[in-house]
Amino acid sequence: MTHAEVADGLCVAHGEPAQVLSTFNSSEVKAMIAHAHDLSKQGLYVVGGLSYEAAPVFDSALPVRASNHFPLLEFHAFEPKQVSVLRQSQLQRLPIESKFMPWLDQQTGQHYQETYQQVQQAIEAGEFYQINLTTRLKAANPRLDAWALFQHLYASQPAPQSLFLRGSVFNAISLSPELFFRWDGNELQTAPMKGTRRPVAGSVDVLSDSEKDRAENVMIVDLLRNDMAKVCQAKSVQVRSLFDVMHLPTVDQMTSSISGRTLPGIALADLFAALFPCGSVTGAPKSQAMLRIAQWEQAPRKFYCGALGVLSPGGQVQFNVPIRTVIEQADELEYGVGSGITWYSTVNDEKKEWWQKTAFLREATCDFKVLETLRLEHGQWLHLDDHLKRMDRSARQFSYLFDEQDVRLHLSTVANKNPNGTFRARCLLDACGELQVELHEMKLDESPVLLRLADSAMRGKPEFVLHKTTYRPEYESFQRQANGAFDVLLFNAQGLLLETCRCNVVLKIDGEWLTPQICERASTYLLPGVLRARLLRENTIRQTTLNVQDLQRAEEVWLINSLRGWVPVAKVVDAHDMVLFSAN
């Protein structure tokens, strides 16, 4: 385990824990909290926490979505001699080649839109005045050690409440900046976090001046004050500071600080009964917000939005709210992200906030953008409408933001600045909907080209084949096989033709123009090219199943894309230069 509790590094416990407390049984949770606290009072470091789904243990009026495969509570106890300090300069970053599969939102854009509408209707009906709605991003397990991944992420964003726990059936990698509560047996402190903005160069007050974020923060401060009053002495609960701004590498966060003196005889389980889950990740009123969360969210939260922390020797405790937290379990990684929605929220602003909160994670592991390659000729974009429709489809697939009007305006500005010449434009759309355009002068060459057949089957994930993005490891690998050829022709495990790394392919057989079809049953996945789609609509070409052997019966072979149009193929050879097709 690790816990960020020293100025220039992390406390690290080595070796096997002296004791492990873990349960899936709600009836055991309170007793295990008491036992964990007793172990710390006996001089042990105790690390762990509670899942969000443990909430009904303390109050049956707090509904959750059941999770049968994740513990409600887990604590690991260590002897003090097992604990040492790992300085920040000693943290190990992962090599760039170890970047793994991108993080994909498990919630579709359509589901988010529908849920958001229900949220607004519920607020209007007076069910609650704020709700924290979340989703899960998932990535394939990169087969990296979880501790190595934690160090890499912590080096990217050294959040003050970070914690790592190698658990019984999971690994928890928490880069949380939010303090849930700190308690020394007398003084209770909380620091609810509400309000997020991307940092703006030269303007440190963008967040603190935001009326919406300040209103959200005040709502949650009021909720936490009321929760704390259940376990604190009368009139001792005080707001120590409001609207503080914490600056992290990729986001600014608004936080406030509250403290109070606890009543005599209060136990740690009593604090959880009063405070858990933290109001900043539920909404207000808490019970109604949690009811709707259980109905609307598609998966349990597990440790995300629960509590993770350290019980130090002597009994002092400190827990975070596990936001910015990765759970490694079985063959996948899971990361929860969400935001507080009020009547003044907008659907795009909330979704943008979600993606801003994932920026450090994506940049440190695998960031990708939706990609469209367009041709700009004498100040005019070719097939612009078709490209924008495809970009919109891809943005929806990955739950990225896409504002067609803004994109058109950006492209119009680029075109007006380049009225002469022919250019290849790489249009890159990021998760927050921001467009970047890279222009390169383009020289047209209509000479027939050499095509090389790949030496093995294409096995790319369908979503990264059917949609064009900057995440192209399979295509890049095959392109390295070109060995002087213009492009590499791809096929699947059944020997069915797909496309090349850059173009769709058309074969003329028995006088008919044919192109490989997209078919899930046949596992023929390929990019639905803009020119290909136009030619299909015009009945110029027909899609069908084609295999590698069909190259030998082809009268002509062409490559097509909207950038170059029709490109004639002079010859197709395999990896050993054996000719599979030759133009007459």
Side-chain angles (χ1 to χ4, degrees):
M1 75 80 188
T2 67
H3 180 62
E5 58 179 17
V6 292
D8 184 35
L10 301 162
C11 283
V12 180
H14 305 274
E16 294 297 318
Q19 194 167 339
V20 174
L21 307 176
S22 182
T23 185
F24 293 78
N25 188 337
S26 60
S27 65
E28 298 177 342
V29 169
K30 289 183 179 179
M32 286 192 177
I33 291 174
H35 186 30
H37 202 195
D38 286 341
L39 290 173
S40 72
K41 292 175 182 177
Q42 295 165 18
L44 300 181
Y45 282 93
V46 184
V47 186
L50 279 68
S51 297
Y52 175 86
E53 284 69 36
V57 169
F58 309 104
D59 187 345
S60 60
L62 301 179
V64 295
R65 179 182 286 270
S67 176
N68 299 321
H69 306 290
F70 200 85
L72 295 174
L73 170 150
E74 185 152 321
F75 285 104
H76 293 205
F78 296 89
E79 298 284 352
K81 63 184 180 182
Q82 293 178 272
V83 177
S84 63
V85 174
L86 178 70
R87 296 298 173 189
Q88 198 159 343
S89 60
Q90 297 172 300
L91 294 174
Q92 300 296 311
R93 278 188 174 271
L94 296 173
I96 192 167
E97 61 268 18
S98 66
K99 288 196 171 187
F100 48 86
M101 278 294 296
W103 297 87
L104 299 181
D105 191 348
Q106 299 305 291
Q107 176 179 242
T108 65
Q110 180 179 351
H111 182 270
Y112 177 69
Q113 292 275 354
E114 292 170 353
T115 304
Y116 188 88
Q117 290 175 1
Q118 291 176 296
V119 167
Q120 290 295 317
Q121 291 167 3
I123 293 174
E124 186 175 18
E127 287 190 32
F128 44 76
Y129 46 87
Q130 184 187 75
I131 188 170
N132 198 74
L133 198 65
T134 75
T135 188
R136 311 292 170 271
L137 307 184
K138 291 189 177 181
N141 191 328
R143 302 301 178 190
L144 295 171
D145 179 70
W147 168 235
L149 179 57
F150 171 81
Q151 291 183 79
H152 179 70
L153 292 176
Y154 182 77
S156 301
Q157 179 169 286
Q161 303 297 324
S162 297
L163 182 144
F164 172 80
L165 177 65
R166 197 180 294 281
S168 56
V169 294
F170 64 87
N171 290 308
I173 300 168
S174 183
L175 289 306
S176 175
E178 183 172 5
L179 172 68
F180 182 15
F181 68 85
R182 182 184 296 114
W183 184 53
D184 62 5
N186 177 38
E187 185 83 5
L188 177 64
Q189 299 175 314
T190 66
M193 183 173 286
K194 215 68 192 164
T196 302
R197 284 287 187 276
R198 178 181 289 184
V200 177
S203 179
V204 296
D205 294 326
V206 169
L207 181 57
S208 57
D209 289 344
S210 167
E211 204 170 303
K212 170 190 175 291
D213 289 291
R214 288 164 71 97
E216 273 192 64
N217 198 278
V218 166
M219 289 180 193
I220 299 306
V221 166
D222 285 344
L223 190 155
L224 264 292
R225 287 174 63 196
N226 291 334
D227 285 350
M228 291 175 66
K230 300 172 187 175
V231 290
C232 287
Q233 298 174 32
K235 299 183 180 180
S236 72
V237 178
Q238 301 291 327
V239 178
R240 298 301 180 186
S241 64
L242 270 175
F243 313 139
D244 297 326
V245 177
M246 179 186 297
H247 301 289
L248 297 169
T250 57
V251 289
D252 289 343
Q253 302 274 187
M254 182 181 288
T255 185
S256 296
S257 179
I258 316 166
S259 67
R261 294 187 304 278
T262 51
L263 293 164
I266 287 293
L268 181 56
D270 297 324
L271 297 187
F272 277 104
L275 302 174
F276 188 82
C278 183
S280 64
V281 292
T282 60
K286 185 183 287 189
S287 59
Q288 184 60 28
M290 289 184 66
L291 172 64
R292 287 304 198 176
I293 287 169
Q295 293 172 347
W296 289 333
E297 292 190 7
Q298 297 176 293
R301 292 183 172 187
K302 303 176 184 175
F303 275 141
Y304 172 57
C305 296
L308 286 169
V310 174
L311 292 68
S312 301
Q316 180 172 323
V317 303
Q318 180 168 320
F319 285 90
N320 74 14
V321 180
I323 56 176
R324 319 291 192 272
T325 295
V326 177
I327 301 297
E328 180 190 45
Q329 191 174 21
D331 292 326
E332 65 182 10
L333 302 174
E334 181 177 293
Y335 179 85
V337 63
S339 63
I341 301 174
T342 68
W343 178 250
Y344 300 100
S345 302
T346 67
V347 63
N348 276 358
D349 282 349
E350 294 305 316
K351 197 57 181 287
K352 186 174 292 187
E353 181 176 324
W354 289 18
W355 285 115
Q356 288 168 351
K357 290 173 178 176
T358 70
F360 89 95
L361 178 72
R362 291 182 287 109
E363 290 171 5
T365 55
C366 187
D367 197 9
F368 73 94
K369 296 178 174 65
V370 171
L371 169 64
E372 283 293 319
T373 307
L374 283 75
R375 179 166 162 175
L376 178 62
E377 189 166 338
H378 302 305
Q380 299 295 318
W381 295 105
L382 271 62
H383 311 308
L384 178 59
D385 289 347
D386 290 336
H387 278 287
L388 293 184
K389 286 178 183 177
R390 190 170 70 174
M391 180 174 275
D392 182 33
R393 287 196 302 271
S394 297
R396 291 177 187 272
Q397 166 68 33
F398 299 113
S399 295
Y400 279 25
L401 290 170
F402 176 78
D403 187 317
E404 183 176 336
Q405 185 175 352
D406 283 351
V407 170
R408 284 185 180 274
L409 182 61
H410 190 147
L411 292 175
S412 177
T413 301
V414 172
N416 290 337
K417 290 180 178 179
N418 297 275
N420 301 309
T422 302
F423 299 90
R424 174 173 63 90
R426 280 170 50 89
C427 300
L428 306 167
L429 183 79
D430 73 10
C432 293
E434 294 187 8
L435 186 72
Q436 176 187 354
V437 179
E438 301 173 353
L439 276 189
H440 305 275
E441 285 194 50
M442 183 176 167
K443 294 182 180 180
L444 300 177
D445 185 353
E446 298 180 358
S447 304
V449 300
L450 172 66
L451 200 58
R452 188 177 300 279
L453 187 70
D455 65 5
S456 59
M458 171 70 163
R459 303 182 186 276
K461 288 182 70 66
E463 58 263 48
F464 289 103
V465 175
L466 295 169
H467 299 274
K468 193 171 184 180
T469 72
T470 55
Y471 180 73
R472 298 172 57 83
E474 287 85 7
Y475 290 103
E476 291 165 1
S477 175
F478 281 116
Q479 191 63 54
R480 288 192 287 271
Q481 298 178 15
N483 194 23
F486 175 78
D487 209 343
V488 175
L489 181 59
L490 309 176
F491 59 89
N492 70 4
Q494 289 75 44
L496 300 179
L497 291 179
L498 302 173
E499 59 183 335
T500 73
C501 295
R502 294 182 288 172
C503 305
N504 292 123
V505 63
V506 174
L507 275 60
K508 186 177 182 182
I509 297 178
D510 296 332
E512 189 176 14
W513 298 100
L514 305 174
T515 193
Q517 67 177 343
I518 299 172
C519 179
E520 181 178 359
R521 181 174 51 81
S523 296
T524 49
Y525 299 107
L526 52 98
L527 182 70
V530 164
L531 181 55
R532 175 184 181 274
R534 182 177 289 265
L535 294 172
L536 285 170
R537 289 198 303 269
E538 296 170 351
N539 294 318
T540 302
I541 61 175
R542 178 172 68 87
Q543 58 178 336
T544 187
T545 299
L546 295 169
N547 58 44
V548 173
Q549 287 72 35
D550 287 326
L551 289 167
Q552 297 175 351
R553 350 188 257 122
E555 300 152 28
E556 298 179 36
V557 176
W558 292 76
L559 303 181
I560 56 170
N561 68 21
S562 64
L563 184 68
R564 298 179 180 275
W566 289 74
V567 178
V569 175
K571 189 181 295 185
V572 181
V573 298
D574 67 11
H576 306 289
D577 288 326
M578 180 178 293
V579 177
L580 304 176
F581 163 83
S582 181
N584 294 330

